[in-house]
Amino acid sequence: MTANTSTIDQLIQEHNPFAGHIVVRPQQIWGKSFPDVPSINAHASDAVFYAIEQICKKERETVGITITAEKGLGKSHLMSRIRHHLQTEESTLFIYMSKYDDLNKIKFQVLQNIASSLRAFGNQNVMQWQEIAAALINESREWKYTPQQYIKHFPTWLNKYSNKLVAQLTKVILQVKPEISNPYIIQAILWTLSPDHVNYANSWLSGLELTQEDAKAMGLPNRRKEDRESEALNNIRQILDVVSDYKIPVICFDELDIVDIAENGFTAAQIIANLVKDLYNNLKRGVFLLAMYPETWNDQIRALPRAEAVMDRLVSEQFDRQPIELKFLNSDDIVALVGQWLQDFYQKYQQTPPHPLYPFDEKQLREFGKGKPTVRAVLKWCAENFNQPIVDGTQSEKTETRSTKENYTQWISDLHAVKPYFDNELANVEASIDSLMEEEETIADALWLAFNSLLGKTVEGVIIEKIEEIEPIAENGGFIDFKIIGKVIGKRNKLRLGIDVVQRDGRTITAALRRLIDYKTFDFTRGCLVRSKQIRPGAAQARKLLKKLLTEKGGEWVGLQSQDIKPLLAIWFVWCNRESYELTEEQIWDFIQQKQLAMNNPLIREILSDPSGQEPTNLTDDGLPISIPQPITTDDYIELNL
């Protein structure tokens, strides 16, 4: 029986499941993914799963695997498949890195990525850090309690034993694990079980400084900013050593093909390859997975000093000590891929299409497969042709309707070109907003783009003239993000507004505030702190500087709200991927202006408005427990005798 397609045809006109999915974002690696066909390049993902199985059976200790593939062939899709598969298992931990912002401080960045990855929830619905903390206690006390039980009881234990609790637990753990050389790593991991201290423990584990008060209260030594890079490698080794006692770490390095070169003359791929060689030699057990272009392997990895020693640790003898190459798609792959995406699409809207590939034609898809396209090329083609299907080899009436629409102005066409990518990025932002709210640099970049789109415009009585980098660079130390130059209507002097997004605590917020009030050095007339979290009353130095900013300097603290930053983050990610999306800068500028993404954004307007001199009222309190512990009854109480 022929299905009535009117409802489905209307759905197709309003929604395009393929639009905006050309590039895989890190948020999709961790969060909600996209339809996957496990048979496509199964040889590569199976190699990773087999390596894990070998390690579980103690047939191998450490395995290195390198995947090479042309642009758009599905390297990041494969990473996502591996991540979501491992999330269902108890024996592994997933660590992922795809950004290499400063190649001269790569070890510190790797440490931060390890800490950030271990903050992600594992298969027990708690942070992977907390899974390790529970395993440490269970082994030392011969218990079998879950991480949730420890998190629930930790506040009660702290009330009973004070902060000596963690020090005492660490001593007990070291009795059964004397090979651990740095007890502070253990202490910090244990602190992740305390709802009141989990964020500070995460900061310390990622190499950041705490306030002196917090460090003392948690019994942790404080690190100086200048020592971060030199200490990072040792901390990486020790963290992975502890982790690998309980879980097999699968450590993935993606997007290694950037063109930047470090001061030592090495590229990102070369620096990471050397780092993996070092970790491979020192790690008890684990899997290293690297993804790069074939030319990156041939031109950069093979050109390393003592290249053979490095490559031996990046490839497996299972594949004749060569990288695993991803394959171009064939006709069967394309039919399976498109069918899976459409199946998810129709299920989402509870519709049954006339056939699984509707509105596409299988013959047409198979013909497309003869050219051996990439995954990216297939998804791009589907996005462009979803609303103008070819049925039985002829154009449908929808194509004629579409061709009429193409008579719109180029300006309208440009807006339509950007919208599907923006909508997709916005969905990705929505799915990962909690982690994005911690990414200060990304938020600052999104604000930078928004203010640049307003050059020459008047917002809140300020004509925005210029966006400048902060000078002097050495004195800033990377803290203040940028400066807005503008003319305030009705006033003679220019507005020179320093913007600093600060979500971290400890010495970071103190150092940032110290620079924000230094109007003379940085040539400000106003400093603006952008932050979503309270500054705790116990952070005495930070609060003293904050008071000076607000009451003496005429500065402002603007509360960062997730709903305000979401669209700005989404368009920033479109901007970052404009080449892959085949969009011009002008198209994106036009979209921002037409949709009023910056002009009508409450966060943008609040930054430019006259300062109130008051702290925001809409702040979060990271000092509060993530979830309020339930009362402990005598039936479920864990007796801890120290």
Coordinates of all heavy atoms in Angstrom, one line a residue, residues 42-66 82 85-86 89 91-92 248-251 280 285-289 315-319 324:
A42 N 34.8 -0.6 10.2 CA 34.8 -1.5 11.4 C 36.2 -2.0 11.7 O 36.5 -2.3 12.9 CB 33.8 -2.6 11.2
H43 N 37.0 -2.2 10.7 CA 38.4 -2.7 10.9 C 39.2 -1.8 11.9 O 40.0 -2.3 12.6 CB 39.1 -2.9 9.6 CG 39.5 -1.6 8.9 ND1 38.5 -0.8 8.3 CD2 40.6 -1.0 8.7 CE1 39.1 0.3 7.8 NE2 40.4 0.2 8.0
A44 N 38.9 -0.5 11.8 CA 39.6 0.4 12.7 C 39.1 0.4 14.1 O 39.9 0.3 15.1 CB 39.6 1.8 12.1
S45 N 37.8 0.5 14.3 CA 37.3 0.5 15.7 C 37.5 -0.9 16.3 O 37.8 -1.0 17.5 CB 35.8 0.9 15.7 OG 35.1 0.2 14.7
D46 N 37.4 -1.9 15.5 CA 37.6 -3.3 16.0 C 39.0 -3.5 16.5 O 39.3 -4.2 17.5 CB 37.3 -4.3 15.0 CG 35.8 -4.5 14.7 OD1 35.0 -4.0 15.5 OD2 35.4 -5.2 13.7
A47 N 40.0 -2.8 15.9 CA 41.4 -2.9 16.3 C 41.5 -2.3 17.7 O 42.3 -2.9 18.5 CB 42.3 -2.2 15.3
V48 N 40.8 -1.2 18.0 CA 40.9 -0.6 19.3 C 40.2 -1.6 20.3 O 40.8 -1.8 21.4 CB 40.2 0.7 19.3 CG1 40.2 1.3 20.7 CG2 40.9 1.7 18.4
F49 N 39.1 -2.1 20.0 CA 38.4 -3.0 20.9 C 39.2 -4.3 21.2 O 39.2 -4.8 22.3 CB 37.0 -3.3 20.4 CG 36.1 -2.1 20.2 CD1 35.2 -2.1 19.1 CD2 36.2 -1.0 21.0 CE1 34.4 -1.0 18.9 CE2 35.4 0.1 20.7 CZ 34.5 0.1 19.7
Y50 N 39.9 -4.8 20.1 CA 40.7 -6.0 20.3 C 41.9 -5.7 21.2 O 42.3 -6.5 22.0 CB 41.1 -6.4 18.9 CG 42.0 -7.7 19.0 CD1 41.5 -8.9 19.4 CD2 43.4 -7.6 18.6 CE1 42.3 -10.0 19.5 CE2 44.2 -8.7 18.6 CZ 43.6 -9.9 19.1 OH 44.4 -11.1 19.1
A51 N 42.5 -4.5 21.0 CA 43.6 -4.1 21.9 C 43.2 -4.1 23.3 O 43.9 -4.6 24.2 CB 44.1 -2.7 21.4
I52 N 42.0 -3.5 23.6 CA 41.5 -3.5 25.0 C 41.3 -4.9 25.5 O 41.6 -5.2 26.7 CB 40.2 -2.7 25.0 CG1 40.4 -1.2 24.7 CG2 39.5 -2.8 26.4 CD1 39.2 -0.4 24.5
E53 N 40.8 -5.8 24.7 CA 40.5 -7.2 25.1 C 41.9 -7.9 25.4 O 42.0 -8.6 26.4 CB 39.8 -7.9 24.0 CG 39.5 -9.4 24.3 CD 38.8 -10.1 23.2 OE1 38.2 -9.4 22.3 OE2 38.8 -11.3 23.2
Q54 N 42.9 -7.6 24.6 CA 44.2 -8.2 24.8 C 44.7 -7.7 26.2 O 45.3 -8.5 26.9 CB 45.2 -7.8 23.7 CG 45.0 -8.6 22.4 CD 46.0 -8.2 21.4 OE1 46.2 -7.0 21.1 NE2 46.8 -9.2 20.9
I55 N 44.6 -6.5 26.5 CA 45.1 -5.9 27.8 C 44.3 -6.5 28.9 O 44.9 -6.9 30.0 CB 45.0 -4.4 27.8 CG1 46.0 -3.8 26.7 CG2 45.3 -3.8 29.1 CD1 45.8 -2.4 26.5
C56 N 43.0 -6.7 28.8 CA 42.1 -7.3 29.8 C 42.6 -8.7 30.1 O 42.6 -9.1 31.3 CB 40.7 -7.3 29.4 SG 39.9 -5.6 29.5
K57 N 43.0 -9.4 29.1 CA 43.4 -10.8 29.2 C 44.9 -10.9 29.6 O 45.5 -12.0 29.7 CB 43.2 -11.6 27.9 CG 41.8 -11.8 27.6 CD 41.6 -12.5 26.2 CE 40.2 -12.8 25.9 NZ 40.1 -13.5 24.6
K58 N 45.5 -9.7 29.8 CA 47.0 -9.6 30.2 C 47.9 -10.2 29.1 O 49.0 -10.7 29.4 CB 47.2 -10.3 31.5 CG 46.4 -9.6 32.7 CD 46.8 -10.3 34.0 CE 46.0 -9.5 35.1 NZ 46.3 -10.1 36.5
E59 N 47.4 -10.2 27.9 CA 48.3 -10.6 26.7 C 49.1 -9.5 26.3 O 50.1 -9.7 25.6 CB 47.4 -11.2 25.6 CG 46.6 -12.4 26.0 CD 45.6 -12.8 24.9 OE1 45.6 -12.1 23.8 OE2 44.9 -13.8 25.1
R60 N 48.7 -8.2 26.5 CA 49.4 -7.0 26.2 C 49.3 -6.1 27.4 O 48.4 -6.2 28.2 CB 48.8 -6.4 24.9 CG 49.0 -7.2 23.6 CD 50.4 -7.2 23.1 NE 51.0 -5.9 22.9 CZ 50.8 -5.2 21.8 NH1 50.1 -5.7 20.8 NH2 51.4 -4.0 21.6
E61 N 50.3 -5.2 27.4 CA 50.2 -4.1 28.5 C 49.8 -2.8 27.9 O 48.9 -2.1 28.4 CB 51.5 -4.0 29.2 CG 51.9 -5.3 30.0 CD 53.3 -5.1 30.7 OE1 54.0 -4.2 30.3 OE2 53.6 -5.9 31.6
T62 N 50.5 -2.4 26.8 CA 50.3 -1.1 26.2 C 50.2 -1.3 24.7 O 51.0 -2.0 24.1 CB 51.3 -0.1 26.5 OG1 51.5 -0.1 28.0 CG2 51.0 1.3 26.1
V63 N 49.3 -0.6 24.0 CA 49.1 -0.7 22.6 C 49.0 0.7 22.0 O 48.3 1.5 22.5 CB 47.9 -1.6 22.2 CG1 47.7 -1.6 20.6 CG2 47.9 -2.9 22.8
G64 N 49.7 0.9 20.9 CA 49.6 2.2 20.2 C 49.0 1.9 18.8 O 49.3 1.0 18.1
I65 N 48.0 2.8 18.5 CA 47.3 2.6 17.2 C 47.2 4.0 16.5 O 46.8 5.0 17.2 CB 45.9 2.1 17.4 CG1 45.9 0.6 17.9 CG2 45.1 2.1 16.1 CD1 44.6 0.1 18.3
T66 N 47.6 4.1 15.3 CA 47.5 5.4 14.6 C 46.5 5.1 13.4 O 46.7 4.2 12.6 CB 48.8 5.9 14.0 OG1 49.7 6.2 15.2 CG2 48.7 7.1 13.2
I82 N 33.9 4.9 19.3 CA 34.7 4.3 20.3 C 34.3 4.8 21.7 O 34.1 4.0 22.6 CB 36.2 4.5 20.1 CG1 36.7 3.7 18.8 CG2 37.1 4.1 21.3 CD1 38.0 4.2 18.3
H85 N 30.9 3.4 22.7 CA 31.0 2.0 23.0 C 31.6 1.7 24.3 O 31.1 0.9 25.1 CB 31.8 1.3 21.9 CG 32.0 -0.2 22.1 ND1 31.1 -1.2 21.8 CD2 33.1 -0.8 22.7 CE1 31.6 -2.3 22.2 NE2 32.8 -2.1 22.7
L86 N 32.7 2.5 24.6 CA 33.4 2.3 25.9 C 32.5 2.8 27.1 O 32.7 2.3 28.2 CB 34.7 3.0 25.9 CG 35.7 2.5 24.8 CD1 37.0 3.3 25.0 CD2 36.0 1.0 25.0
E89 N 30.9 0.1 29.1 CA 31.8 -0.9 29.7 C 32.4 -0.4 31.0 O 32.5 0.8 31.2 CB 32.9 -1.4 28.8 CG 32.4 -2.0 27.5 CD 33.5 -2.6 26.7 OE1 34.7 -2.3 27.0 OE2 33.2 -3.3 25.7
S91 N 35.4 -1.5 32.2 CA 36.9 -1.8 32.3 C 37.7 -0.6 31.8 O 39.0 -0.7 31.8 CB 37.2 -3.1 31.6 OG 36.9 -2.9 30.2
T92 N 37.1 0.4 31.2 CA 37.9 1.4 30.5 C 37.6 2.8 31.0 O 36.5 3.1 31.5 CB 37.7 1.3 29.0 OG1 36.3 1.5 28.7 CG2 38.2 0.0 28.4
I248 N 41.4 0.6 32.1 CA 42.3 0.7 31.0 C 42.1 2.1 30.4 O 41.0 2.3 29.8 CB 42.1 -0.4 30.0 CG1 42.3 -1.8 30.6 CG2 43.0 -0.2 28.8 CD1 41.9 -2.9 29.7
P249 N 43.1 3.0 30.5 CA 42.9 4.3 29.8 C 43.0 4.2 28.3 O 44.0 3.6 27.8 CB 43.9 5.1 30.4 CG 45.0 4.2 30.9 CD 44.3 2.9 31.2
V250 N 42.0 4.7 27.6 CA 42.1 4.8 26.1 C 42.3 6.3 25.8 O 41.4 7.1 26.0 CB 40.8 4.2 25.5 CG1 40.9 4.4 24.0 CG2 40.6 2.8 25.9
I251 N 43.5 6.6 25.4 CA 43.9 8.0 25.3 C 44.0 8.4 23.8 O 44.8 7.9 23.1 CB 45.3 8.2 26.0 CG1 45.2 7.7 27.4 CG2 45.7 9.7 26.0 CD1 46.6 7.5 28.1
Y280 N 54.1 5.8 26.7 CA 54.1 4.4 26.4 C 55.1 3.6 27.2 O 54.9 2.5 27.7 CB 54.3 4.2 24.9 CG 54.2 2.8 24.3 CD1 53.1 2.4 23.6 CD2 55.2 1.8 24.5 CE1 52.9 1.1 23.1 CE2 55.1 0.5 24.0 CZ 53.9 0.2 23.3 OH 53.8 -1.1 22.8
R285 N 49.5 0.1 31.7 CA 48.7 -0.5 30.7 C 47.8 0.6 30.1 O 47.5 1.6 30.8 CB 47.9 -1.6 31.2 CG 46.9 -1.3 32.3 CD 46.0 -2.4 32.7 NE 45.0 -2.1 33.7 CZ 43.9 -2.8 33.9 NH1 43.7 -3.9 33.3 NH2 43.0 -2.4 34.8
G286 N 47.5 0.5 28.8 CA 46.6 1.4 28.2 C 46.7 1.4 26.7 O 47.5 0.7 26.1
V287 N 45.8 2.1 26.0 CA 45.8 2.2 24.6 C 45.9 3.7 24.2 O 45.3 4.6 24.7 CB 44.4 1.7 24.0 CG1 44.4 1.9 22.5 CG2 44.2 0.2 24.4
F288 N 46.8 3.9 23.2 CA 47.0 5.2 22.7 C 46.5 5.2 21.2 O 46.8 4.3 20.4 CB 48.5 5.6 22.6 CG 49.1 5.8 24.0 CD1 49.8 4.8 24.6 CD2 48.9 7.0 24.7 CE1 50.4 5.0 25.9 CE2 49.5 7.2 25.9 CZ 50.2 6.2 26.5
L289 N 45.6 6.2 20.9 CA 45.0 6.2 19.6 C 45.2 7.6 19.0 O 44.8 8.6 19.6 CB 43.5 6.0 19.7 CG 42.7 6.0 18.4 CD1 43.2 5.0 17.4 CD2 41.2 5.8 18.7
V315 N 52.1 2.3 16.4 CA 51.4 1.4 15.5 C 51.5 0.0 16.1 O 52.4 -0.3 16.9 CB 52.0 1.4 14.1 CG1 51.7 2.7 13.4 CG2 53.5 1.2 14.1
S316 N 50.6 -0.9 15.7 CA 50.6 -2.2 16.2 C 51.1 -3.3 15.2 O 50.9 -3.1 14.0 CB 49.1 -2.6 16.6 OG 49.0 -3.9 17.0
E317 N 51.7 -4.3 15.7 CA 52.2 -5.4 14.8 C 51.1 -6.1 14.2 O 51.2 -6.8 13.1 CB 53.1 -6.4 15.6 CG 52.4 -7.2 16.7 CD 52.4 -6.5 18.0 OE1 52.7 -5.3 18.1 OE2 52.0 -7.1 19.0
Q318 N 49.9 -6.0 14.7 CA 48.7 -6.6 14.1 C 48.5 -6.0 12.7 O 47.9 -6.7 11.8 CB 47.4 -6.3 15.0 CG 46.1 -6.9 14.4 CD 45.0 -6.5 15.3 OE1 45.1 -5.8 16.3 NE2 43.8 -6.8 14.8
F319 N 48.9 -4.8 12.5 CA 48.8 -4.2 11.1 C 50.1 -4.0 10.5 O 50.4 -2.9 9.8 CB 48.0 -2.9 11.3 CG 46.5 -3.1 11.7 CD1 46.2 -3.1 13.0 CD2 45.6 -3.3 10.7 CE1 44.9 -3.3 13.4 CE2 44.3 -3.5 11.1 CZ 43.9 -3.5 12.4
I324 N 46.6 2.4 10.5 CA 45.3 1.8 9.9 C 44.7 2.9 9.0 O 44.4 4.0 9.5 CB 44.4 1.4 11.1 CG1 45.0 0.4 12.0 CG2 43.0 0.9 10.5 CD1 44.2 0.1 13.2

